Amino acid sequence: MEKKDNKALYEPKENKMGIMPVPKLLITMAAPMIFSMLVQALYNVVDSFFVSRVHEDALTALSLAFPIQNLMIAVSTGTGVGVNAMLSKSLGEGNRENVNKAAKNGIFLAICSYVLFLLFGIFGTRPFMESQTDSVRIIEYGVQYLTICSVACLGIYIQIIFERLLQGTGKTFITMWTQLTGAIINIVLDPILIFGFFGLPALGVAGAAIATVAGQIVAAIVAIICNLKFNKEIDFSFKGFRPDIKAIGRIYAVGFPSILMVAISSIMTYTMNKILIGFTTTAVAVFGAYFKLQSFVFMPIFGLNNGMIPIVAYNYGARKRSRVTGTIKLSVAFAEAMMAVGVLIFQFFGKGLLISGFDASETMVALGVPALRIISLHFLLAGFCIISSSVFQALGNGVFSLLISFARQLLVLLPAAYLLSLSGRVEMVWWSFLIAEFASLVLCSVFLRVTYNKKLKMLDA
């Protein structure tokens, strides 16, 4: 009897990801993340909202700085995706040792990543801005903003890795509060520091950067506290810790393709800015405004992904095929519904979004309204593609996601944009997004069929 009791004591209960009905589980896991990602979208746009009231050149500078900020997020979220997948799969297998290895090595990698961007912030920001424009005012705005965001970016790395640890164990609701805290700090501090309220000096774009990193640092502290208090599946003691090469390899087997995917996005944005600045700096400002606005459409899909990935990874580890496929189908349906709403908003309310969001001039509105209408046509195709890419990552086929991103952005989007720019009409450049997304749809469909046949078909029903 004593042995039986001991076994019951140490045998872990199955996580809700393996037993809760899929529709309820996905909604439970994803809804807090969708909310937090909407908050994150507001977080992303608020700097541009206030900075556009400083000067249009300041908005252009933030657009030119965006590829590096995007790369920071790429490294942090890519590492987080790898940690999330390894941790969730290990939970599904009941392997607590690998759960702890995933968490501790993920935190170690987050700190290493920060050091790289610290060095860039000290030595690389001015050469980067000068490589895109010769406007002294835009360069100075960009150097001020990007230096602060790079040198003080530790908060974003700690925040994201600790949020992924909560997500990986199914505690997505808690991460809503970490992101909400960071966003509120940023939103409150932005106007105070940019325009100099309450007796403080007006810092302009530097104030926007300080507000951003302050929000990240506070959110990171909250995420650490929440993990220590609520995440009992993970042992956070670093006594005797040594980096584990095998664990790091497993994390980056999934996460590195994700990093490269967003890094490819940074290359695309950098090159697209170079193409657009050949027309006018206002076209770059429009492109930057589009990226901020589209985040309100795409970030909820990424929140859905963050809820979906641990469910797929857990049930794949537990060999429950019907739960994996059911989660994927439901996620695609939700994503397409969100994208349909996004298309309608961009088609009918583009002018109001530009004027209210970015204090747009008549020239910016004239360029921006057609841009939003044309680019948004690819949203419906993108919903399926985003979910498919996340499925590949959750099942350990991150290389498929990488190939799709590479083909879409570098092999199709940029060449199409360049060729269309030769027409001399900037509105033609925007059609390259629809062309590239169609190519992505074809590849996603093929790879999804291959993944099902090789990884899911043989699982238990």
Side-chain angles (χ1 to χ4, degrees):
M1 185 70 181
E2 186 178 349
K3 289 183 178 179
K4 185 177 180 181
D5 289 341
N6 285 339
K7 182 178 179 182
L9 180 65
Y10 291 107
E11 188 175 88
K13 293 173 62 178
E14 183 167 6
N15 192 282
K16 67 179 180 180
M17 291 186 285
I19 55 176
M20 186 181 288
V22 168
K24 181 180 179 181
L25 176 63
L26 183 60
I27 292 171
T28 301
M29 294 281 286
M33 292 309 306
I34 291 171
F35 176 80
S36 66
M37 284 295 182
L38 281 170
V39 173
Q40 187 68 28
L42 183 61
Y43 197 156
N44 291 340
V45 79
V46 71
D47 280 358
S48 296
F49 174 84
F50 289 113
V51 162
S52 66
R53 281 140 179 89
V54 174
H55 197 279
E56 188 176 290
D57 282 350
L59 179 60
T60 301
L62 265 62
S63 300
L64 295 178
F66 180 74
I68 296 300
Q69 287 186 290
N70 200 43
L71 191 59
M72 292 179 198
I73 294 172
V75 174
S76 57
T77 56
T79 304
V81 165
V83 170
N84 198 334
M86 179 180 171
L87 193 152
S88 297
K89 186 171 183 291
S90 299
L91 275 177
E93 295 168 341
N95 190 332
R96 291 294 295 273
E97 182 181 356
N98 280 346
V99 168
N100 291 324
K101 283 183 179 179
K104 293 175 185 178
N105 283 278
I107 296 168
F108 168 75
L109 292 172
I111 294 171
C112 292
S113 301
Y114 161 68
V115 173
L116 293 177
F117 282 97
L118 168 65
L119 294 173
F120 173 83
I122 296 171
F123 301 109
T125 53
R126 184 168 294 276
F128 176 77
M129 292 301 300
E130 290 177 345
S131 71
Q132 299 179 86
T133 180
D134 56 4
S135 168
V136 174
R137 184 183 333 196
I138 292 174
I139 290 171
E140 291 306 317
Y141 280 145
V143 169
Q144 289 177 41
Y145 184 81
L146 196 51
T147 299
I148 295 170
C149 287
S150 300
V151 169
C153 69
L154 178 61
I156 190 66
Y157 286 101
I158 298 300
Q159 175 191 349
I160 288 178
I161 196 64
F162 276 91
E163 285 178 350
R164 294 304 182 270
L165 297 181
L166 290 165
Q167 292 164 20
T169 55
K171 298 173 181 63
T172 54
F173 183 81
I174 297 174
T175 62
M176 176 178 70
W177 297 107
T178 65
Q179 293 209 355
L180 186 61
T181 301
I184 291 173
I185 295 294
N186 186 27
I187 292 167
V188 170
L189 289 182
D190 252 328
I192 295 172
L193 297 178
I194 291 172
F195 302 114
F197 296 150
F198 305 114
L200 295 174
L203 300 176
V205 294
I210 294 170
T212 295
V213 298
Q216 292 167 354
I217 291 169
V218 172
I221 293 170
V222 173
I224 292 171
I225 293 171
C226 288
N227 269 276
L228 295 176
K229 186 172 183 180
F230 300 111
N231 217 349
K232 303 305 182 184
E233 288 92 339
I234 300 172
D235 174 14
F236 287 100
S237 172
F238 274 79
K239 184 177 180 180
F241 169 77
R242 296 289 185 276
D244 188 303
I245 299 301
K246 289 185 179 179
I248 291 172
R250 289 182 64 185
I251 289 170
Y252 280 134
V254 176
F256 192 66
S258 180
I259 292 172
L260 287 181
M261 277 193 299
V262 188
I264 287 169
S265 176
S266 290
I267 295 171
M268 180 277 291
T269 307
Y270 176 85
T271 308
M272 186 68 80
N273 283 336
K274 299 269 288 184
I275 292 171
L276 292 172
I277 210 165
F279 290 95
T280 171
T281 57
T282 302
V284 176
V286 166
F287 189 49
Y290 158 74
F291 258 102
K292 301 295 184 179
L293 292 172
Q294 62 94 31
S295 67
F296 285 100
V297 181
F298 281 80
M299 291 296 268
I301 311 296
F302 297 146
L304 177 64
N305 280 348
N306 288 338
M308 178 197 73
I309 286 174
I311 300 173
V312 171
Y314 182 98
N315 286 285
Y316 176 62
R319 299 187 60 81
K320 298 179 179 181
R321 184 181 68 197
S322 62
R323 293 182 65 81
V324 174
T325 57
T327 301
I328 294 169
K329 291 175 182 177
L330 196 58
S331 297
V332 170
F334 285 159
E336 290 299 325
M338 293 180 202
M339 286 298 190
V341 173
V343 171
L344 292 176
I345 292 172
F346 273 57
Q347 292 297 317
F348 296 105
F349 301 102
K351 182 177 180 179
L353 290 173
L354 287 168
I355 293 175
S356 61
F358 304 97
D359 196 26
S361 63
E362 290 184 10
T363 303
M364 186 173 173
V365 169
L367 287 175
V369 171
L372 297 185
R373 288 176 177 167
I374 293 170
I375 298 175
S376 65
L377 294 175
H378 86 281
F379 287 180
L380 289 174
L381 303 182
F384 174 80
C385 296
I386 292 170
I387 296 297
S388 298
S389 291
S390 296
V391 169
F392 302 145
Q393 293 167 16
L395 298 179
N397 277 347
V399 68
F400 284 172
S401 302
L402 174 60
L403 290 173
I404 291 165
S405 184
F406 180 82
R408 176 186 176 274
Q409 298 185 82
L410 300 189
L411 297 184
V412 180
L413 178 60
L414 288 179
Y418 173 73
L419 292 174
L420 291 170
S421 74
L422 298 179
S423 68
R425 298 167 54 196
V426 69
E427 65 270 19
M428 293 300 294
V429 176
W430 311 125
W431 287 101
S432 59
F433 285 89
L434 185 61
I435 296 169
E437 205 61 57
F438 181 77
S440 178
L441 178 69
V442 173
L443 283 176
C444 282
S445 299
V446 172
F447 288 156
L448 201 58
R449 173 55 57 182
V450 170
T451 299
Y452 178 82
N453 288 334
K454 289 190 173 182
K455 293 221 167 193
L456 300 180
K457 198 172 183 180
M458 68 287 299
L459 297 182
D460 303 330

